[in-house]
Amino acid sequence: MANFQFVIFKIDDREFALDINKVNTIEKIPSITRVPGAPYFVMGVINLRGEVIPVVDTRKRMDLNPRPFDDESRIIIINLEDCVVGITADSATEVVSVGEELIDRDFAITGAKDDDFIEGVARLDQRIIVILDINKLLKTA
Amino acid sequence: MDANQFLDIFLEETNEHLENLNNCLLQLEKSPEDRELLDEVFRVSHTLKGMAGTMGFVRMAELTHQMENLLDEIRNKKVEVDTSLVDLLFECLDGLQEFANQIAETGTEGSRDTGALVSRLRNRLNPENSTANKADISSGRLELELNDHETLVIGNAKQQGFNCFIIGVTLNKNCMLKSARAFLVFSTLEKKGDIIKSVPGVEDIEDEKFDRTIKLVLITQKGMDEIRNSLLSISEIEKVDIQEAVQAEDIDNFHIENRQADSPAGAAVSKERGIKNVTGKTVRVDIDRLDNLMNLVSELIIIKTRLEESKENDSKANTGEALEYLERIITNLHDAVMKVRMVSIERVFNRFPRMVRDLSKDLGKNTQLYMYGEETEVDRTVIDEIGDPLIHLIRNSIDHGIEQVDERKGKGKPPEGKIVLRAFHDGNTVVIEVSDDGRGIDLAKIADKAVKSGLYTQQQVEDLTEDELMELIFSPGFSTAGKVSDLSGRGVGLDVVKTKIESLGGMVEVESVPGEGSKFIIRLPLTLAIIQALLVVVGEETYAIPLNSIKEIITMEPSMVKNVQSREVVLLRGEILPLIRLDKELGIESIDDPDKEMTIVVVKKGEKLAGMAVDKLLGQQEIVIKSLGKYLAGIRFIAGATILGDGKVSLILDTNPFL
């Protein structure tokens, strides 16, 4: 059975997983410059070691209530096919390895606000972790 | 041998040689008697042949080889230089260029058939007996596979009265140092002639990866017996077989067979490499400039140490001095890096003489191109983009500007039309001018056309100034050419030129005197990567406005703002400017007191002006332009971003959408 590695991040008390191959780095929150005219869920751009990277407000994207950044807050830098984008998280703490058999890819939380971005659900002991479809999450149009 | 690592160098040098060849041929056409030029053309083809041969590009080598033969005959005054010959050489040049392009794309020379070209070269060389040099080799008893390049070399050597032998040398069974013996064989033979092939290859022999027999192809003026005796004088040689390489099938058949055999392998290779270009972008840099960079970096290291020391000693004076020094080094470093990116505009200009020659030939016009300031240096990014717009403008000049010879004579002009391409630096910009002494732009015709195409009414056209009328030629779908030709007149040309130049942050103007010619003037920033900008504060955000779009900065009492047709305007020296409140446009809450005196940045786009109200000016600064990336592409008002001294990102305003 194939194992998948995921970066786990939290928003409120919910856990989300991102394919580790797509994650570039995890950064503390730097100063963010707002970009007028950008999609509503784009917080702005940051300076990541000399590169200008857009940052998506994950809470806004998922229609969740805003929450100020604290020491635990992170920006997860993600490599897409042709660009690099950061997404915000309340915290990003661990990397887990999940066996294929523990992943349910047909799972759908009907009625939930964020089911548009779900690629599947992984069951890990008592935890239920939502695997995010990052392309859907970051889609601008 | 894996030659891929040399591919970049090969291509770069090939392109340089081809450019050189192009120039030489152009000059040769004008002065066919010039011996030095001829020698240069010969040298270039020879070098190209060698390079192509080394890299295993057989067809390319073959073509250059035949070119070389022909050129040699010209040098020996057996063939005359005339226009048709130069045309033929130009065709060869195009063929070589296509090879080079193909190689750049796929890494192989492809299956382009140059047979026709090669045989035309041969016919030219030997018009009365073009079949005489059908030479081919089969190796008979000593079996040795020859590729078509080698076959060709042998064929030509024979023509020139050399002997070609296939030699088999078998070493003694007890021979201890096989490669040393083999080396002796090689060195002995090399004294007598040229070894063009050996089986096994030299590398394998060096590694002793062979049995006891070496097969060689030797081109020599010596006789068979002399060779045999000299070989047998080497100890530990058991047997020497020598036979004449014989002519067999028709060379063209041989080529076809070989080509068929080659192509599946070739196709496989190109598939493997995919569609991507094999080579990356490179810049050739003068070694002095690199040394300069290196020096500056070492100075940076020194200053770092000095700063560390002064931190320990906590001496303020020392730190201040070091910082000043650091600033100076960084300024120099910046200049040095910019210089590394600079390329002389010659690279773009070089292709134009040929283009003008071909175009005027096609159109039956007599045009001469004069170029000045080719050494003007421009940033690499600009070089890559400026070619197409210039081609458009030059084509326009030849097609629409320059008259036919008869017409010119009738007007009392010299029969030869003149196109001048001039580049020079003007402050922080590069100016490129394309001018011709043709018929000029007919304003009446433009007006007529503008009315006919429904852009303006007769009344409106009459109100337009001359400059405004002239500006119309840059509008989309506009052409005053009576008929659409192959080259221009479709009305797509000039607006594309204008759009392109503007996207590069430059501008294009036109001046024209009817009957005397017209002049297109392109102004471009020296570099696209670093610009001068004014930093302004709106609310709590800092924005950069490119300096080249700013006309001036004024201050004004809020009471001076008037409303015209529900738009806010201000008066500047009697002129009405629309007022743009940046805070509103950008969705920022301005924290400024509304009754305070306003700071207005007047921005321009061509002749159009507008005022932008900002809260505060931070000053002028050189900024490095960074793209916002694909994710945020196409956002209005924002041209990009830059990183300020404090590490924060500041956005660069695109003022054009406001105007």
Side-chain angles (χ1 to χ4, degrees):
Chain A
M1 271 300 170
N3 269 3
F4 292 93
Q5 282 198 301
F6 293 103
V7 172
I8 306 288
F9 70 90
K10 274 192 181 174
I11 287 181
D12 293 333
D13 52 358
R14 294 165 57 190
E15 291 185 304
F16 295 93
L18 287 171
D19 178 0
I20 199 162
N21 293 318
K22 297 221 167 94
V23 175
N24 188 333
T25 52
I26 298 170
E27 306 283 333
K28 292 197 173 172
I29 310 280
S31 124
I32 300 178
T33 304
R34 194 184 64 95
V35 180
Y40 71 98
F41 53 85
V42 173
M43 280 192 93
V45 287
I46 57 165
N47 166 18
L48 181 71
R49 292 177 281 279
E51 292 296 311
V52 176
I53 312 268
V55 174
V56 166
D57 186 337
T58 318
R59 286 180 163 271
K60 254 198 189 141
R61 184 61 175 147
M62 295 181 170
D63 269 338
L64 301 170
N65 295 327
R67 172 177 178 273
F69 289 132
D70 56 29
D71 281 352
E72 293 288 303
S73 302
R74 293 289 183 271
I75 291 177
I76 304 171
I77 309 291
I78 292 162
N79 285 334
L80 293 184
E81 258 167 44
D82 49 2
C83 56
V84 179
V85 181
I87 64 168
T88 58
D90 290 355
S91 68
T93 44
E94 60 177 327
V95 174
V96 295
S97 187
V98 183
E100 170 83 74
E101 71 278 8
L102 296 175
I103 299 174
D104 181 356
R105 295 200 188 266
D106 303 321
F107 197 89
I109 312 168
T110 36
K113 283 175 185 165
D114 44 341
D115 62 352
D116 278 346
F117 319 122
I118 292 177
E119 193 179 289
V121 167
R123 278 169 249 262
L124 216 64
D125 300 329
Q126 295 303 306
R127 297 153 73 186
I128 290 180
I129 298 166
V130 173
I131 301 166
L132 281 180
D133 181 336
I134 195 66
N135 287 320
K136 275 190 198 159
L137 184 82
L138 295 179
K139 215 163 128 186
T140 43
Chain B
M1 181 184 64
D2 180 21
N4 286 347
Q5 51 178 322
F6 304 118
L7 206 57
D8 282 353
I9 306 172
F10 169 75
L11 281 170
E12 198 162 308
E13 287 186 352
T14 303
N15 283 329
E16 246 168 51
H17 285 306
L18 289 178
E19 241 169 49
N20 190 5
L21 193 59
N22 187 9
N23 287 342
C24 290
L25 285 178
L26 281 168
Q27 286 177 44
L28 191 66
E29 191 176 30
K30 274 179 231 150
S31 43
E33 296 302 314
D34 193 332
R35 178 82 192 180
E36 259 173 52
L37 271 175
L38 200 54
D39 285 346
E40 180 65 20
V41 174
F42 183 79
R43 265 198 300 276
V44 173
S45 341
H46 183 76
T47 316
L48 281 170
K49 178 179 91 169
M51 282 163 48
T54 318
M55 296 294 292
F57 298 128
V58 180
R59 272 183 274 283
M60 197 168 161
E62 180 188 323
L63 184 57
T64 39
H65 180 75
Q66 290 300 339
M67 273 175 81
E68 205 186 324
N69 281 351
L70 180 57
L71 288 164
D72 202 32
E73 291 299 295
I74 302 173
R75 287 212 298 188
N76 298 334
K77 309 245 183 244
K78 285 186 190 153
V79 177
E80 290 267 310
V81 178
D82 56 20
T83 320
S84 69
L85 186 103
V86 174
D87 278 341
L88 180 60
L89 288 173
F90 267 128
E91 274 182 56
C92 293
L93 176 69
D94 291 340
L96 291 174
Q97 188 67 60
E98 276 174 46
F99 274 134
N101 294 346
Q102 176 79 19
I103 292 166
E105 271 169 33
T106 62
T108 62
E109 59 180 344
S111 52
R112 242 181 64 84
D113 193 5
T114 46
L117 209 50
V118 168
S119 53
R120 274 172 62 200
L121 281 168
R122 277 213 205 103
N123 290 346
R124 190 79 201 199
L125 198 58
N126 247 342
E128 73 288 344
N129 191 8
S130 59
T131 45
N133 42 14
K134 283 181 181 171
D136 203 26
I137 312 297
S138 92
S139 39
R141 196 159 47 91
L142 279 168
E143 273 182 23
L144 196 58
E145 271 182 34
L146 295 171
N147 64 29
D148 46 1
H149 174 57
E150 287 152 4
T151 315
L152 210 86
V153 171
I154 294 173
N156 284 311
K158 288 200 154 188
Q159 259 181 298
Q160 287 162 28
F162 286 90
N163 290 322
C164 294
F165 297 129
I166 297 179
I167 305 172
V169 180
T170 311
L171 300 176
N172 207 315
K173 229 181 256 172
N174 308 322
C175 176
M176 294 294 290
L177 292 164
K178 285 197 290 184
S179 54
R181 282 302 151 219
F183 176 74
L184 279 178
V185 170
F186 272 87
S187 62
T188 309
L189 287 177
E190 264 161 6
K191 276 180 214 149
K192 308 281 180 194
D194 287 326
I195 299 171
I196 61 164
K197 186 180 175 91
S198 77
V199 176
V202 180
E203 275 168 325
D204 287 338
I205 292 176
E206 270 171 356
D207 298 340
E208 296 213 355
K209 282 187 199 155
F210 68 110
D211 195 26
R212 289 191 296 137
T213 309
I214 309 167
K215 286 179 201 156
L216 299 148
V217 179
L218 182 75
I219 295 179
T220 178
Q221 282 176 315
K222 306 274 169 15
M224 200 183 277
D225 290 335
E226 190 183 340
I227 305 285
R228 189 192 307 274
N229 292 336
S230 62
L231 283 175
L232 287 171
S233 68
I234 306 169
S235 55
E236 290 189 307
I237 300 266
E238 194 178 278
K239 194 174 79 176
V240 175
D241 293 320
I242 300 186
Q243 73 174 80
E244 183 116 11
V246 281
Q247 300 190 1
E249 315 132 67
D250 185 83
I251 194 162
D252 290 326
N253 283 341
F254 185 86
H255 278 167
I256 292 162
E257 273 169 37
N258 230 337
R259 203 155 286 153
Q260 282 165 343
D262 274 359
S263 52
V269 172
S270 39
K271 211 180 259 173
E272 185 187 316
R273 294 188 192 227
I275 341 152
K276 273 188 191 164
N277 274 14
V278 184
T279 52
K281 274 190 183 172
T282 53
V283 180
R284 286 209 157 188
V285 179
D286 186 2
I287 196 83
D288 286 345
R289 291 183 175 177
L290 270 189
D291 285 347
N292 186 22
L293 260 185
M294 190 60 218
N295 281 341
L296 287 167
V297 172
S298 27
E299 278 195 63
L300 268 186
I301 295 168
I302 296 169
I303 198 86
K304 191 202 88 182
T305 333
R306 197 162 141 192
L307 277 171
E308 276 170 357
E309 274 169 19
S310 68
K311 195 173 128 201
E312 280 164 23
N313 303 339
D314 201 28
S315 83
K316 278 228 172 88
N318 203 354
T319 315
E321 207 179 288
L323 278 177
E324 237 169 67
Y325 186 44
L326 180 67
E327 196 180 306
R328 219 180 63 223
I329 295 170
I330 289 179
T331 313
N332 287 341
L333 195 60
H334 176 187
D335 282 353
V337 174
M338 292 302 292
K339 277 210 184 106
V340 167
R341 290 178 54 94
M342 296 293 241
V343 182
S344 80
I345 202 155
E346 207 178 343
R347 284 178 66 137
V348 181
F349 278 18
N350 263 341
R351 61 176 121 153
F352 295 140
R354 170 78 192 281
M355 196 185 94
V356 171
R357 170 193 183 269
D358 289 357
L359 268 183
S360 15
K361 263 196 156 179
D362 288 352
L363 295 169
K365 292 180 182 180
N366 193 349
T367 327
Q368 195 56 45
L369 178 70
Y370 298 89
M371 301 194 295
Y372 304 96
E374 296 107 306
E375 70 288 343
T376 311
E377 291 198 321
V378 192
D379 192 87
R380 170 81 209 217
T381 41
V382 177
I383 289 278
D384 290 344
E385 302 288 337
I386 191 66
D388 287 347
L390 284 179
I391 289 178
H392 264 302
L393 290 180
I394 293 175
R395 284 186 159 184
N396 250 323
S397 286
I398 300 176
D399 202 16
H400 301 323
I402 303 290
E403 310 91 332
Q404 299 288 352
V405 178
D406 296 348
E407 199 182 333
R408 288 183 71 89
K409 280 186 187 150
K411 284 183 186 168
K413 287 183 182 180
E416 188 172 76
K418 195 168 149 189
I419 292 180
V420 180
L421 196 56
R422 189 191 304 270
F424 54 92
H425 283 161
D426 181 19
N428 233 348
T429 58
V430 180
V431 182
I432 305 170
E433 294 175 352
V434 181
S435 51
D436 64 64
D437 66 346
R439 53 174 77 93
I441 296 166
D442 188 349
L443 286 176
K445 228 171 168 181
I446 296 181
D448 195 36
K449 175 86 185 183
V451 176
K452 270 191 192 145
S453 59
L455 281 168
Y456 289 92
T457 64
Q458 189 66 41
Q459 186 58 44
Q460 279 172 314
V461 163
E462 276 161 26
D463 289 345
L464 289 175
T465 64
E466 283 194 3
D467 285 349
E468 282 168 328
L469 268 176
M470 199 70 101
E471 192 70 13
L472 279 181
I473 61 169
F474 292 110
S475 21
F478 204 89
S479 171
T480 55
K483 58 175 195 272
V484 171
S485 80
D486 200 21
L487 302 166
S488 38
R490 290 179 200 282
V492 286
L494 287 176
D495 76 292
V496 172
V497 170
K498 191 181 162 88
T499 324
K500 184 88 207 175
I501 303 284
E502 280 178 356
S503 76
L504 292 173
M507 47 200 240
V508 53
E509 296 161 30
V510 57
E511 289 169 6
S512 177
V513 180
E516 283 177 30
S518 37
K519 185 196 247 176
F520 287 84
I521 305 153
I522 296 173
R523 274 172 199 281
L524 285 170
L526 265 188
T527 172
L528 304 175
I530 297 177
I531 58 164
Q532 288 280 341
L534 177 74
L535 295 184
V536 300
V537 177
V538 187
E540 287 180 334
E541 296 175 3
T542 307
Y543 289 89
I545 304 175
L547 220 53
N548 62 8
S549 60
I550 297 178
K551 185 158 179 279
E552 62 183 304
I553 293 158
I554 52 175
T555 51
M556 207 166 261
E557 291 299 330
S559 56
M560 302 288 284
V561 177
K562 306 273 186 288
N563 268 302
V564 174
Q565 292 177 337
S566 76
R567 285 191 66 183
E568 285 187 309
V569 296
V570 290
L571 273 175
L572 173 65
R573 289 187 291 273
E575 220 178 314
I576 298 171
L577 300 185
L579 179 72
I580 296 147
R581 292 196 183 263
L582 268 188
D583 47 355
K584 271 186 205 146
E585 294 288 345
L586 300 175
I588 305 163
E589 266 179 49
S590 176
I591 46 174
D592 250 28
D593 177 4
D595 295 330
K596 214 187 78 178
E597 197 181 48
M598 291 196 304
T599 306
I600 294 171
V601 180
V602 180
V603 294
K604 63 180 180 204
K605 177 188 177 186
E607 296 289 295
K608 280 192 248 171
L609 298 176
M612 286 183 160
V614 301
D615 290 348
K616 205 164 74 180
L617 301 175
L618 282 185
Q620 179 186 334
Q621 197 177 314
E622 248 178 7
I623 58 167
V624 182
I625 300 180
K626 307 250 175 189
S627 151
L628 276 185
K630 234 178 171 174
Y631 191 67
L632 290 179
I635 290 183
R636 247 165 83 87
F637 309 145
I638 308 294
T642 187
I643 293 168
L644 298 180
D646 58 3
K648 282 188 191 157
V649 179
S650 167
L651 299 175
I652 303 167
L653 281 183
D654 179 4
T655 56
N656 289 343
F658 293 110
L659 290 159

